[in-house]
Amino acid sequence: MVKHIKPAALLLCISLLSLHFVPAHAQEGFSNKKVLYGLHWGFTGNRVDLYHTQGGEAHALKEGNHSFFAPGTRVSAIGDFRLGEHFRLRAMPGVTLFGRTWEPSGLSFPVSSSTDYKVMSVCGELPIEVKWIPFRWGDRQLYLTSGLSYSFDFTSLKKDLDEGIIQRLNAHDLRYICGLGYEFDTRYFRLGIELKVDCFSLLPTNTGGSRSNTFYFDNGPSFSLGFIIEA
């Protein structure tokens, strides 16, 4: 999967740059439209911190390969609402998928060598952001975003997961997010590229209760590179 990500991202970047030189006769219309709709597609790097279950409670691993980044992808719809000359309100409901195989090593307790452990997550997300546009040059503009994102891990609903599947500790999450983007208008639609960081969770990690799996994981910060089309 990772081998195909870089060529795909490079092709998209070249396509965006080539369309950048297509004249846009209706750029003022895009900037002044009250509502824009669109699609977002991007690649993510998701920080994973592993936990080990002892006595039904989850304890953070502090040895071996206990923290790493898992690659993934994000697909979202976009609703973009004009608040004024320099501000827009944006909702981006979508789905993020990521996964990575984990090989336990350097642990002080025994684990099954025959089990293929895999961190896996399929999350529904609803980010609500304020988009600030401080700089605009004709049909091009640079913008910053800031807001909150609620997510729910659909994997937690499955009761018949394989033994090696490592689930999230928190099925629900609320995170602070921020980003930086650049977009430009063509004749018929607006294109953009965006870097975003899901900085930290606003909810405490739920490590208690009666947990039956050997391992769980918690999300740290995640990073994404996304491509946007709006009209």
Side-chain angles (χ1 to χ4, degrees):
M1 173 182 175
V2 177
K3 292 182 179 179
H4 298 289
I5 285 179
K6 291 183 179 179
L10 179 61
L11 181 61
L12 278 171
C13 289
I14 293 173
S15 301
L16 286 174
L17 287 173
S18 63
L19 284 169
H20 172 73
F21 297 101
V22 177
H25 299 289
Q27 62 264 34
E28 291 303 321
F30 282 120
S31 297
N32 293 323
K33 284 187 70 173
K34 291 185 177 181
V35 182
L36 292 173
Y37 297 102
L39 293 173
H40 168 277
W41 174 63
F43 309 109
T44 65
N46 307 272
R47 170 73 177 271
V48 169
D49 299 313
L50 289 175
Y51 284 69
H52 176 236
T53 305
Q54 294 176 332
E57 295 186 351
H59 300 270
L61 279 175
K62 297 182 180 179
E63 53 190 8
N65 185 18
H66 63 275
S67 182
F68 49 83
F69 278 89
T73 186
R74 175 178 291 159
V75 180
S76 306
I78 302 174
D80 192 316
F81 308 92
R82 189 174 190 269
L83 300 178
E85 183 179 358
H86 297 284
F87 292 93
R88 300 187 73 96
L89 181 66
R90 186 167 68 171
M92 299 178 65
V95 177
T96 295
L97 306 91
F98 68 85
R100 174 176 165 175
T101 300
W102 176 62
E103 297 181 3
S105 62
L107 302 179
S108 60
F109 51 88
V111 293
S112 174
S113 58
S114 62
T115 301
D116 293 326
Y117 292 101
K118 183 177 181 180
V119 172
M120 186 174 71
S121 181
V122 180
C123 280
E125 298 180 329
L126 180 58
I128 304 294
E129 309 170 341
V130 173
K131 181 178 175 183
W132 176 45
I133 305 123
F135 305 109
R136 183 179 286 124
W137 308 275
D139 62 342
R140 297 165 290 169
Q141 60 188 29
L142 184 71
Y143 64 88
L144 301 172
T145 65
S146 180
L148 299 176
S149 177
Y150 167 75
S151 67
F152 178 77
D153 189 1
F154 293 112
T155 309
S156 65
L157 296 175
K158 299 184 67 175
K159 304 300 182 182
D160 56 347
L161 290 174
D162 295 336
E163 180 185 354
I165 297 298
I166 303 175
Q167 294 177 256
R168 283 177 55 167
L169 282 169
N170 286 14
H172 301 267
D173 202 1
L174 182 66
R175 306 181 72 85
Y176 170 70
I177 56 176
C178 59
L180 168 68
Y182 171 79
E183 58 191 11
F184 57 91
D185 299 338
T186 66
R187 185 184 299 272
Y188 300 109
F189 44 80
R190 169 172 285 177
L191 295 174
I193 185 169
E194 184 176 88
L195 292 171
K196 186 175 290 184
V197 181
D198 293 4
C199 297
F200 54 84
S201 176
L202 300 175
L203 301 180
T205 302
N206 179 20
T207 58
S210 178
R211 299 187 176 276
S212 57
N213 292 354
T214 306
F215 296 104
Y216 290 87
F217 77 89
D218 188 38
N219 266 22
S222 66
F223 306 86
S224 66
L225 171 65
F227 304 92
I228 291 172
I229 180 169
E230 290 180 310

